Amino acid sequence: MAELRTEEEQLEAIKRWWKENGTSLILGAVIAAAGVFGWKAWQDYQAGQAEAASQRYQQLLTLSGQDDLDEAARQQADGLVTTLTEDHGDSLYADLARLLDARLAVQAGDTAAAVTALEGLIAESPRPYLQGLARLRLARLQLADDAAEAALATLDGEIPAPLAPQRADIRGDAHLMLGDRQAARDAWREALSLSEASDQPLYGVQLKLDDLGVEETT
């Protein structure tokens, strides 16, 4: 009988404990399950967004590979760029889309649109390398527009070390446009030195130096 009472007391104790704590346990289990489900749903959403961005970028890449876009194709490309930058603005695809947009604009003769695309990438991208690449391309566009001073100012922005040889090369072009042959020579020599140090071939720079002729001495 003592054992029975002990079992009954244990059962009553369990019932009381469950009455006091059962609801919170169930609620905790529900919250935990909701958390797992929510995290899984978020992961699925993120994966879906990445897949959608990838597909749109591939479509844009295919369009940009065409030699001559007609009006309909250009509008389609513009739409893809807008979607990538607005719906996937933090993604790598959005940055790459801006670079392609600038290239397509140049091909269409719309330098202003190309400048806008590159300036947008510089201002909004969290990726220093792509920002630097955009600065180099923007500086080249400014040189093509005879804006050598603006190009030099653009090149003074943040540009990662792997792009330093190209920056020095473009600086040389800008200085030559401004009539400063010695500054151009110094910049191109720096470009060659950086290129050799980083084992990055930089074609055409030696020809520019050769065209300058023998260095003038005083």
Side-chain angles (χ1 to χ4, degrees):
M1 291 295 293
E3 291 180 359
L4 182 59
R5 282 197 300 272
T6 300
E7 290 175 358
E8 289 176 350
E9 289 171 354
Q10 289 176 345
L11 182 59
E12 286 301 320
I14 290 172
K15 287 180 179 179
R16 285 196 303 273
W17 182 88
W18 179 256
K19 185 176 181 180
E20 294 171 359
N21 300 284
T23 301
S24 61
L25 281 176
I26 293 173
L27 182 59
V30 170
I31 291 173
V36 171
F37 176 79
W39 176 245
K40 180 67 165 57
W42 173 248
Q43 287 182 313
D44 290 344
Y45 171 77
Q46 290 291 84
Q49 287 290 93
E51 179 64 23
S54 175
Q55 290 177 356
R56 285 164 180 155
Y57 178 72
Q58 287 300 322
Q59 291 174 335
L60 180 60
L61 197 60
T62 299
L63 286 171
S64 69
Q66 297 179 18
D67 293 332
D68 188 19
L69 294 183
D70 58 23
E71 184 62 26
R74 179 61 195 175
Q75 288 181 359
Q76 183 183 359
D78 288 343
L80 288 168
V81 170
T82 298
T83 299
L84 283 165
T85 54
E86 291 184 357
D87 295 352
H88 312 280
D90 294 335
S91 71
L92 173 62
Y93 296 113
D95 289 350
L96 296 176
R98 284 192 172 99
L99 288 176
L100 285 178
D101 189 32
R103 191 176 81 183
L104 291 172
V106 169
Q107 290 175 353
D110 192 348
T111 303
V115 168
T116 298
L118 293 172
E119 288 178 340
L121 175 54
I122 292 168
E124 298 177 21
S125 175
R127 299 170 181 85
Y129 184 86
L130 291 181
Q131 285 179 314
L133 189 59
R135 283 192 172 94
L136 295 181
R137 295 186 180 183
L138 177 58
R140 289 193 180 99
L141 287 179
Q142 290 166 330
L143 285 178
D145 199 32
D146 294 327
E149 293 285 3
L152 288 173
T154 296
L155 294 171
D156 282 339
E158 290 278 340
I159 295 180
L163 297 173
Q166 293 93 322
R167 172 164 60 180
D169 181 19
I170 301 171
R171 271 186 175 151
D173 294 341
H175 286 306
L176 185 64
M177 182 175 288
L178 293 170
D180 192 340
R181 295 169 63 85
Q182 187 55 48
R185 181 181 283 108
D186 291 343
W188 287 332
R189 283 175 174 169
E190 179 187 7
L192 284 180
S193 176
L194 290 169
S195 173
E196 291 171 1
S198 60
D199 196 24
Q200 297 182 50
L202 197 59
Y203 303 104
V205 178
Q206 187 60 56
L207 289 175
K208 294 176 186 179
L209 283 169
D210 293 343
D211 286 342
L212 281 181
V214 179
E215 182 175 358
E216 297 178 2
T217 58
T218 57

